[in-house]
């Protein structure tokens, strides 16, 4: 574990009240833990704006009765085999399927995959959860 550095910060009183509220609501044990998490969140966002290596999950909801949709979704994934780690398919109802696709690779390629899926007719929702390999978050 890295050496701990102590710092003090100045905040306007209303902002400090909000900080206290957020610390409580998020279940953080103290302000330091909350601020640590905020910084990591920013670092992950920054990673996704660069060209390095990131990790994430695409959650996809679609109607499998839509003509050729399953084939198109599969083809998109086969174009990016080096970025797809694993996927899970769940039949939610007679018509609706959900897929969770765990990805790792270059942010732009992963975003393009999610955007490509979103454009297909019959796709109801695509969400991209952006995470990290953790290398910069120690
Ligand atoms: Ni299904």
């Amino acid at each position: 574990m890295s050496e701990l550095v102590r710092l003090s910060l100045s905040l306007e009183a209303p902002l400090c009240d909000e900080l206290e509220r957020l610390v409580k609501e998020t279940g953080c044990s103290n302000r330091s833990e909350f601020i640590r998490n905020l910084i990591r969140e920013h670092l992950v966002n920054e990673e996704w704006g660069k060209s390095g290596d990131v990790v994430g999950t695409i959650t996809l909801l679609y109607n499998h009765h839509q003509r050729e949709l399953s084939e198109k979704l599969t083809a998109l994934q086969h174009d990016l085999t080096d970025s797809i780690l694993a996927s899970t398919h769940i039949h939610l109802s007679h018509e609706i399927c959900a897929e969770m696709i765990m990805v790792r690779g270059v942010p732009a390629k992963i975003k393009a995959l999610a955007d490509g899926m979103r454009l297909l007719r019959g796709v109801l929702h695509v969400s991209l959860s952006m995470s990290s390999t953790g290398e910069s978050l120690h």
Side-chain angles (χ1 to χ4, degrees), residues 60-63 69 96-97 118 120-126:
L60 173 67
L61 206 66
Y62 66 94
N63 184 334
L69 177 57
I96 308 297
C97 298
R118 203 172 276 122
L120 296 174
R121 182 187 284 264
V123 170
L124 304 171
H125 188 246
V126 177

Side-chain angles (χ1 to χ4, degrees), residues 6-10:
R6 291 198 172 278
L7 55 96
S8 68
L9 70 157
S10 310

Side-chain angles (χ1 to χ4, degrees), residues 62 64 89-93 95-98:
Y62 66 94
H64 81 103
H89 184 114
I90 297 123
H91 313 296
L92 285 181
S93 68
E95 293 188 318
I96 308 297
C97 298

Side-chain angles (χ1 to χ4, degrees), residues 2 4 6 8 15-16 19 22 24 30-32 36-37 49 54 71 79-80 85 88 93 104 118 120 123 131:
S2 309
L4 282 181
R6 291 198 172 278
S8 68
L15 211 51
C16 192
L19 174 62
L22 290 168
K24 263 186 212 156
N30 52 48
R31 294 173 191 160
S32 295
R36 211 175 282 133
N37 290 342
V54 292
E71 290 82 352
D79 288 342
L80 217 67
L85 300 174
T88 305
S93 68
R104 176 177 186 170
R118 203 172 276 122
L120 296 174
V123 170
S131 193

Side-chain angles (χ1 to χ4, degrees), residues 6-93:
R6 291 198 172 278
L7 55 96
S8 68
L9 70 157
S10 310
L11 288 176
E12 287 78 6
L15 211 51
C16 192
D17 293 343
E18 291 291 7
L19 174 62
E20 290 304 328
R21 181 181 63 80
L22 290 168
V23 169
K24 263 186 212 156
E25 282 182 13
T26 53
C28 287
S29 46
N30 52 48
R31 294 173 191 160
S32 295
E33 188 181 1
F34 181 81
I35 289 168
R36 211 175 282 133
N37 290 342
L38 265 188
I39 294 168
R40 289 193 179 120
E41 199 61 44
H42 272 269
L43 288 172
V44 171
N45 276 336
E46 217 174 57
E47 281 183 36
W48 278 80
K50 294 178 183 168
S51 58
D53 188 25
V54 292
V55 168
T57 310
I58 297 171
T59 302
L60 173 67
L61 206 66
Y62 66 94
N63 184 334
H64 81 103
H65 287 172
Q66 180 68 46
R67 218 173 132 257
E68 291 177 8
L69 177 57
S70 300
E71 290 82 352
K72 287 176 184 166
L73 288 168
T74 303
L76 278 178
Q77 294 180 65
H78 276 268
D79 288 342
L80 217 67
T81 48
D82 58 334
S83 301
I84 294 173
L85 300 174
S87 69
T88 305
H89 184 114
I90 297 123
H91 313 296
L92 285 181
S93 68

